[in-house]
Amino acid sequence: SEEAAFWMLVTTIHDYLPHNMYDTTMEGANIDQSVLMMLVNEHLPDIWNKMSNGKCFLDYKISNELPPITLVTNHWFLTLFINILPVETVLRLWDCFFIEGYHIMFKAALTIIKLNQVKILDLQDPIEIFQTLKNMPRRLIDCHKFMEVIHIFII
């Protein structure tokens, strides 16, 4: 029913997502992006160097800014990957989210990047990297492969 769906949304936002994710400061969303960029730096250093134009993660942290690519990845987290990944993959991801916890969202983002690592590394223009990250999740139609890769990351 509509009422049950509404209360499920309320519960998800208040009990499962970081605090201040959708408030005016979007503090929770900003923290998520900092954590994601740190994880990309740790797990996929070649990708980090490409996305950050060779800038060190600590330089971003000290200056209290994030790489421009977070304009794309932030949307992934704010929508919980709805209309980002194919429906079957989103439903599997949500199953893991409710069973394993919110950290699976970071693994999903890392998986999207990892599965397209070769393509990203071949790009030269930062705008192409932005466009690739924006469009590539829709092309990840093999849900089973996605779920296999998602569990190789240890966070």
Side-chain angles (χ1 to χ4, degrees), residues 99-114:
I99 293 169
E100 298 177 34
Y102 187 71
H103 72 279
I104 199 73
M105 297 302 171
F106 293 102
K107 289 182 172 188
L110 289 172
T111 299
I112 291 170
I113 297 167
K114 175 73 174 168

Side-chain angles (χ1 to χ4, degrees), residues 69-91:
I69 205 65
T70 58
L71 293 171
V72 173
T73 57
N74 193 33
H75 182 65
W76 297 351
F77 283 77
L78 289 173
T79 61
L80 298 176
F81 294 90
I82 295 173
N83 293 328
I84 306 297
L85 292 167
V87 173
E88 181 183 3
T89 308
V90 170
L91 294 176

Side-chain angles (χ1 to χ4, degrees), residues 3 16 24 26 33 38 44 53 58 66 68 78-79 92 111 131 148 150:
E3 183 178 356
Y16 289 91
T24 55
M26 293 185 70
Q33 292 310 297
M38 180 187 68
L44 303 166
N53 295 322
L58 290 176
L66 293 167
L78 289 173
T79 61
R92 295 273 304 274
T111 299
Q131 286 298 323
E148 286 175 11
I150 203 170

Side-chain angles (χ1 to χ4, degrees), residues 45-53 120-124 129:
D46 292 339
I47 297 290
W48 169 259
N49 288 332
K50 193 73 159 181
M51 290 185 344
S52 68
N53 295 322
I120 293 170
L121 291 174
D122 286 342
L123 298 172
Q124 300 303 319
I129 296 171

Side-chain angles (χ1 to χ4, degrees), residues 14-72:
H14 290 289
D15 295 346
Y16 289 91
L17 299 181
H19 294 290
N20 301 327
M21 184 80 158
Y22 299 106
D23 72 353
T24 55
T25 66
M26 293 185 70
E27 180 183 13
N30 291 328
I31 291 170
D32 277 356
Q33 292 310 297
S34 292
V35 170
L36 177 61
M37 293 300 110
M38 180 187 68
L39 291 169
V40 170
N41 183 44
E42 288 177 11
H43 292 279
L44 303 166
D46 292 339
I47 297 290
W48 169 259
N49 288 332
K50 193 73 159 181
M51 290 185 344
S52 68
N53 295 322
K55 196 172 178 182
C56 174
F57 177 76
L58 290 176
D59 291 341
Y60 278 106
K61 198 69 177 152
I62 291 169
S63 64
N64 200 27
E65 53 183 57
L66 293 167
I69 205 65
T70 58
L71 293 171
V72 173

